[in-house]
Amino acid sequence: LCVFSSLQLVSLLLIGIAAWGIGFGLISSFRVVGVVIAVGVFLFFIALVGLIGAVKHHQVLLFFYMIILLLVFIVQFSVSCACLALNEEQQSELLEVGWNNTKSARTDIERNLNCCGFRVFYANETCAADCFRTHHCTPCAPIMEEYSGMVLRFVGGIGLFFSFTEILGVWLTYRYRNQKDPRANPSAFL
């Protein structure tokens, strides 16, 4: 049951962070928020399937829970390792690609970090930052690069932690699923 509640915690955390980002005006892209909320709802339902399967000792539900949790582990572990493995040059390239491909994220970044342009500030371009009125804005790239390494290490570390709890959940589900009668001999589980 501990594994199910950790998955539910992750799902509720994702939904809460997305709602917090929208509520405080940090994120205006409904596509990004929609994806985060959809992933949170998906994880919540997967945890619910596992919980129902464990309480009723339903073999099919536990099997699907175990397989889906294994797939979630693989994806989460891969993304976490990628976050931790990016060097500064790769982070800078990734930020520039994101900057050039998303207008709504660019507007949010300019407004929240009070900067204009990516590497160079051009006074004839439009900008959502307050500093644009005085035309004394700094480029956004140095500010974003300052925080990107810290954020990637944080996200990668949290992702690794929860991915290992998920693989523990897969193992425990496998052990519980293969028990003949878990209520008859509870000490045989471990």
Side-chain angles (χ1 to χ4, degrees), residues 25 41 47 110-112 116 126 137 146 154 166 183:
V41 168
E110 288 175 341
R111 185 173 20 93
N112 290 324
C116 290
T126 59
C137 292
E146 178 183 336
F154 179 74
E166 289 164 2
R183 291 168 285 235

Side-chain angles (χ1 to χ4, degrees), residues 29-98:
S29 172
F30 287 109
R31 184 180 301 160
V32 171
V33 172
V35 168
V36 172
I37 289 175
V39 168
V41 168
F42 172 75
L43 289 176
F44 186 80
F45 282 123
I46 294 304
L48 198 60
V49 165
L51 187 62
I52 292 169
V55 168
K56 299 204 179 265
H57 200 73
H58 193 276
Q59 297 291 316
V60 175
L61 285 179
L62 287 172
F63 175 75
F64 281 116
Y65 173 75
M66 185 175 63
I67 296 300
I68 292 172
L69 195 60
L70 182 64
L71 294 174
V72 168
F73 163 76
I74 291 169
V75 169
Q76 188 170 342
F77 185 76
S78 302
V79 169
S80 298
C81 288
C83 285
L84 293 171
L86 286 175
N87 61 29
E88 289 182 18
E89 181 181 318
Q90 293 167 329
Q91 290 174 21
S92 179
E93 290 174 13
L94 186 62
L95 288 172
E96 191 166 3
V97 167

